[in-house]
Amino acid sequence: MDGWEAVAAGVLVRRHAELDLTTGLVIGERRALVIDTGGDHRQGAELAAEVRELTPLPWDVVLTHGHFDHCFGTAAFLPAPVWADRGCTGYLREHAERQRAEWSERYREQGRPEVATALGATTVVLPDREVTGSAEIDLGGRTARLLHLGAGHTGHDLVVEVPDVGVVFAGDLVEQGAPPDFEDAAPREWPEALRRLLALDPALVVPGHGCPVDAAFVREQRAELLLLARVCGAHARGEISTAAALRESPYPEPTTEQALRRTS
Ligand SMILES: [Zn+2]
C-alpha cells in the first residue's frame, strides 16, 4: 500500500511502502500540520514535495516520537515549527546516531545500500517546540491537539487529535499489520496510554504503521497489551518461567522477548 487517502475533510493519511510507515496531514484555513516526516532526507523531500502539491499553506511539523522512520525526514520541511514531546529531544540526542548506525547496517545487509547512504547523508533535526503534557495548534478554523498520554511505545509518544472530525494520529502506540514494537517500550504502562487514547472516543485512529483503524481495533490491541503486561509482571516477579511467559503472551517470541527485556 502506497499513497494518500483522505480520511476526513482536510485530513489525509499517506501510507509508505518503506516499513509500511503511515504519516499524516491536517489542513486548516491558515496552516497545515504534517505528522511525521519519514526515515531519511530523501523520503522527507519526497513527502514535502507531495504535501506542497496538496496545499499551499505554511506548515507545522509534529513528530510522534524519535524513532528514525518517523522523524529523520524533518529537514526537508524547514523552516517550520517542529513539535514533539519534551522527551523526544533528549531521546534523539542520545539515540539518533545509534539508530543511524544500526539501520544503515540493516539496510546494507538487505542489499539496499542506497537507503543506507541516504540515512548516512541525513541531518537529524531536533524539535524546537517541546510539549509538556499537551498543546494546541490553531490551524485556522480547526485546532489540532497534541497529547502525551503516558509512556507506551516509548517514554515520549505524542498523539495528535483532530477533535472536529474525531481522528487521532497515534504514532506507534497503535500498530496495524505487525505486532507492536517494544525496543524502547514501557510494556506495563502501555495499556494505560491506550485507555487514555480510547477515552478521547475517536471515530478513526491512524497508526504509525499500517492502515487506519477503529476504536474496536485499539480496544483489542489494548487487551493484548494488558495480557502481555501481566505476563511481564509475573515474569519479573519470578512467578513464571521465560518459557511460560512466551507461551502465554499474545505476541510472537521475538516481540515477547523484547518486552521481557524491558521489564526484567
Ligand atoms: Zn516507533
Side-chain angles (χ1 to χ4, degrees):
M1 173 81 205
D2 207 15
W4 290 93
E5 181 194 356
V7 295
V11 180
L12 294 99
V13 169
R14 171 73 159 96
R15 296 191 59 191
H16 305 260
E18 188 64 44
L19 298 175
D20 200 18
L21 178 74
T22 304
T23 60
L25 175 66
V26 183
I27 302 174
E29 288 165 7
R30 290 192 309 275
R31 295 192 72 80
L33 181 63
V34 174
I35 300 154
D36 286 345
T37 60
D40 61 40
H41 76 94
R42 217 176 41 170
Q43 292 170 33
E46 282 171 16
L47 184 60
E50 290 180 10
V51 172
R52 199 31 96 220
E53 291 282 311
L54 292 164
T55 174
L57 294 172
W59 54 49
D60 284 36
V61 169
V62 58
L63 307 175
T64 58
H65 61 298
H67 286 158
F68 84 101
D69 45 331
H70 298 262
C71 66
F72 273 26
T74 301
F77 293 87
L78 298 182
V82 179
W83 301 78
D85 179 76
R86 63 176 175 171
C88 188
T89 311
Y91 179 85
L92 282 171
R93 282 211 176 95
E94 203 172 330
H95 296 290
E97 292 313 314
R98 175 187 58 78
Q99 295 188 73
R100 192 203 302 273
E102 284 177 9
W103 280 87
S104 294
E105 193 181 328
R106 200 178 298 194
Y107 281 124
R108 286 207 177 86
E109 282 169 7
Q110 290 172 1
R112 303 178 66 204
E114 72 288 355
V115 189
T117 302
L119 204 49
T122 292
T123 301
V124 177
V125 175
L126 297 178
D128 64 352
R129 300 285 196 281
E130 295 194 338
V131 178
T132 303
S134 67
E136 294 195 344
I137 303 178
D138 179 5
L139 300 172
R142 78 191 326 169
T143 299
R145 294 177 70 208
L146 314 184
L147 303 163
H148 174 63
L149 303 175
H153 172 66
T154 67
H156 62 269
D157 304 296
L158 199 61
V159 309
V160 181
E161 184 192 20
V162 192
D164 66 290
V165 288
V167 175
V168 173
F169 290 86
D172 288 356
L173 278 176
V174 176
E175 180 120 17
Q176 190 277 330
D181 173 74
F182 289 89
E183 185 184 357
D184 292 310
R188 285 190 273 184
E189 295 166 59
W190 198 331
E192 174 60 14
L194 287 193
R195 189 193 65 74
R196 292 180 189 165
L197 190 154
L198 286 164
L200 301 172
D201 196 22
L204 191 82
V205 177
V206 182
H209 301 268
C211 68
V213 297
D214 58 12
F217 179 96
V218 179
R219 269 194 292 276
E220 206 166 300
Q221 190 147 97
R222 179 172 181 272
E224 290 173 354
L225 287 163
L226 205 49
L227 172 56
L228 180 67
R230 288 188 183 129
V231 167
C232 286
H235 184 261
R237 291 190 299 273
E239 294 166 9
I240 59 170
S241 67
T242 302
L246 293 172
R247 210 167 42 238
E248 288 173 29
S249 166
Y251 295 120
E253 284 197 7
T255 300
T256 305
E257 282 164 353
Q258 209 168 34
L260 291 174
R261 276 198 295 277
R262 296 291 298 172
T263 47
S264 62

